[in-house]
Amino acid sequence: MDNRSIPVIDEDPALSTSLQWRYKRLYYLWSRVIGSLAQRGMRGTVARIAQEFHRRPSRDDTLQLLPLDSSTDGLMFANPALPQVSIIIPVYGKLDYTVTCLRSLALHMGNITTEVIVVDDASPDGSASALSAVDGLRLLVNAQNQGFVGSCNAGAKAARGEYLVFLNNDTQVTPGWLDALLRCFADEPDCGIAGSRLIYPDGRLQEAGGWVFSDGSAWNVGRFESRHASAYRYRRRTDYLSGAAIMIRRDRFSAVGGFDERYAPAYYEDTDLAFAVRQAGLSVFYEPNSVVVHCEGISAGTDLGTGMKRYQAINHVKFAQKWRQQLQQQPAPGTPLSQLWGRHARGHILVVDVTTPDPSRDSGSLRLFAMLRILHQEGWQLSFAPDDGFASDASIAALGDLGVQVLCRPEVANLPKWLSQHGSSLHAVVLCRHTVAGQYVHAVRRHAPRARLILDTVDLHFVREQRAAELDDSLTLRRQAEASRRSELALIEQCDVSFVVSPKEQELLHRLAPQAQVELLSNIHDVHGRRQPYAGRGDLVFIGGYGHPPNADAIKWIAEALLPALLAVMPDMHVHILGDVPDVARATLQRPGLTLHGRVQDLAPWMDRCLASLAPLRFGAGVKGKINMAMSYGLPVIATSIAVEGMQLQDGEDVLIAEQPGDVVQAVRRLLSDGELWTRLSDAGLNNVEQHFSPAAARNTLRRVLG
């Protein structure tokens, strides 16, 4: 039910203008019902009609909207000579909306160097005079009314920023809106236009991008739905975006000729711009983390037969004629909405893990984030389901930046039911860890028979548990490890492909499950590089949270054995623990020379000033992200042989192996006294990450497995 989906009806001269318009309006409303039935189905159409009769407040208080205000007192902007962004606001009257929009900009500009340009289109209410008093605002005044198209083009011609943002004056922006649009361009190399998630003042979703059909009609995605729905919270390619809040590079806008003047004064110019950008080989991205509240209809009204709105039908015809050839590649009108979501994607992949990943929490999360980023870059439509059903707003936003839809409560309370509805669309399903895979493998086979079923082991749990049993000499742990071994091997044989993180685990599975296809998909790390030299470094660091049993054992060993041995020789030595440690454990671990920092968002300060990273693991399996992370910054690592297993590292060349407290003391003393050794280990570590644990290596594996 989109205002743009207007049927084109020939005029009947025998009818009065009033009757003609009533006929058009009735035909339009009926066509919307028929179109909704075709695209939403009966249940969706009935639900949509019910929304129209549901009473709701005119404003959603959670949006924290500013009250309308026409006073410009105290309003001011910076006016930099070389702004990064030029925000262009075309204005025709409605001074109170314009001033309120400007106040929201002043509140939520962030640290981005920005100029604000208001183009007054011969407003009849004295807007130009009032706005001329705003310090730092660039005000352009049209001598004659030029409409939205002419005003936007005039603003763009005067702009100095690298990026242009076209913003309606009946909008209010929210925190982080501009940063999110810029982030979309930074993350997506083919981004030609990025547009905001548009919200009505009453809190409902207005637009999450739009689809264009083969007749030139269009559909606003998500109109009147919940703005919190997961379907509208992830970045994705779309056909077009409403011009109420869009960003484009200034040189790209100029290259395509700006807004096409044939659509003056307004309507369809934004859809035309999107098609021009797509014709140039770029993409149009809906960016959900940029939220803008839009009071639709304030400027142009809502009556489709009078005023500016009448150009909607007129320009629909112009658009359809101009892009006749390209429109042949668009879906037919009435195509079910369920078939449109993946039209810009290679296929649909579902990923399931225990909980939503948090890269600051653990190595597995960091690897999964990197994997999802690669899959998004490769053009896949992605859905992620946390087995625990929970996802915080921050997690949904972070995964949304990776183009991932999060399937969580309350929308998705039962994953098998979701699979029964959407399984036929899936190209692949990735089940992370055998504890998760055991719950869903049969549901995937039943409801997604065409999907490639992939088990991501993360690490082989039974190997880790076997080593813990040996360390503790525990019969109970041995039995648990044996049960895990049987479970993991059975699942590996049932799945089409299994991922492991180390060559050693791949070799082990070739022996234990020779019929299984086992692929190496190791840790994935960007190489940050050595940012500070050897001189002036001191202290040691351990990266890892207490919730992972091998880490908990290592932290206790550091506190009880390694630190006393170090302090006996080097009284000023200090060890920093970066990772979650529960309060109960903190009480027993606290001692001089040891600082428990908890989880930190940025490891760089410690990577830049510490002498070395410790990895004194006494049991475990897989590849250790703590080692990869330190080496990605060029920080040498002192580790046990179990910690470096399967990581292609050699003692004295890439890493220093230390099995006992005395070995750790000796390794630290060597690094303190030998800058050449430190630099050699630093260089070798960086090379190891680049060669074995880079995104490029992971990309090759994913391409081979997914086709």
Side-chain angles (χ1 to χ4, degrees), residues 41-54:
M42 177 60 74
R43 179 178 298 179
T45 299
V46 171
R48 174 65 190 87
I49 292 172
Q51 287 179 333
E52 291 296 312
F53 295 95
H54 177 68

Side-chain angles (χ1 to χ4, degrees), residues 486-507:
R486 290 194 299 268
S487 173
E488 278 189 277
L489 292 178
L491 286 166
I492 287 167
E493 291 176 347
Q494 291 178 65
C495 293
D496 298 315
V497 182
S498 294
F499 290 148
V500 293
V501 295
S502 78
K504 193 172 184 68
E505 290 186 344
Q506 187 178 34
E507 179 185 341

Side-chain angles (χ1 to χ4, degrees), residues 405-448:
Q405 178 184 4
V406 180
L407 310 176
C408 60
R409 297 190 183 102
E411 292 178 73
V412 179
N414 185 299
L415 185 57
K417 182 178 180 180
W418 184 92
L419 283 166
S420 71
Q421 297 169 339
H422 303 279
S424 61
S425 71
L426 294 173
H427 178 87
V429 177
V430 181
L431 302 177
C432 302
R433 309 171 207 272
H434 79 102
T435 52
V436 170
Q439 300 177 66
Y440 301 114
V441 65
H442 296 298
V444 171
R445 287 301 194 199
R446 179 181 178 186
H447 299 300

Side-chain angles (χ1 to χ4, degrees), residues 540-543 558 562 566 575 612-616 626 637-638 664:
L540 305 171
V541 62
F542 175 88
I543 307 168
I558 289 172
L562 301 189
L566 287 165
V575 178
S613 178
L614 295 176
K626 57 175 54 60
V637 175
I638 302 170
V664 174

Side-chain angles (χ1 to χ4, degrees), residues 609-626:
R609 65 182 177 85
C610 283
L611 178 73
S613 178
L614 295 176
L617 303 182
R618 299 192 292 176
F619 67 95
V623 170
K624 310 307 180 295
K626 57 175 54 60

Side-chain angles (χ1 to χ4, degrees), residues 636-703:
V637 175
I638 302 170
T640 58
S641 56
I642 283 180
V644 302
E645 182 180 76
M647 299 188 69
Q648 295 87 33
L649 297 170
Q650 297 296 320
D651 184 25
E653 297 181 13
D654 316 277
V655 67
L656 295 181
I657 301 296
E659 306 288 5
Q660 300 298 328
D663 301 332
V664 174
V665 172
Q666 182 180 358
V668 173
R669 295 183 72 176
R670 288 179 65 189
L671 290 176
L672 283 171
S673 62
D674 192 341
E676 290 185 5
L677 170 64
W678 188 95
T679 303
R680 188 168 70 249
L681 291 171
S682 175
D683 290 340
L686 287 166
N687 182 67
N688 178 267
V689 176
E690 180 68 44
Q691 185 174 354
H692 301 292
F693 305 103
S694 67
R699 191 183 304 273
N700 290 336
T701 298
L702 291 169
R703 285 177 175 174

Side-chain angles (χ1 to χ4, degrees), residues 120-186:
D120 184 88
D121 198 19
S123 294
D125 65 349
S127 287
S129 176
L131 295 172
S132 65
V134 178
D135 187 28
L137 180 71
R138 295 189 63 194
L139 178 65
L140 308 180
V141 181
N142 296 337
Q144 295 180 333
N145 187 273
Q146 297 183 28
F148 182 86
V149 171
S151 295
C152 285
N153 285 342
K157 186 176 181 180
R160 301 173 299 208
E162 178 185 358
Y163 296 90
L164 306 178
V165 171
F166 296 100
L167 188 68
N168 279 16
N169 71 322
D170 54 351
T171 60
Q172 290 193 38
V173 301
T174 65
W177 75 285
L178 192 57
D179 303 80
L181 292 176
L182 283 172
R183 192 163 60 246
C184 185
F185 276 89

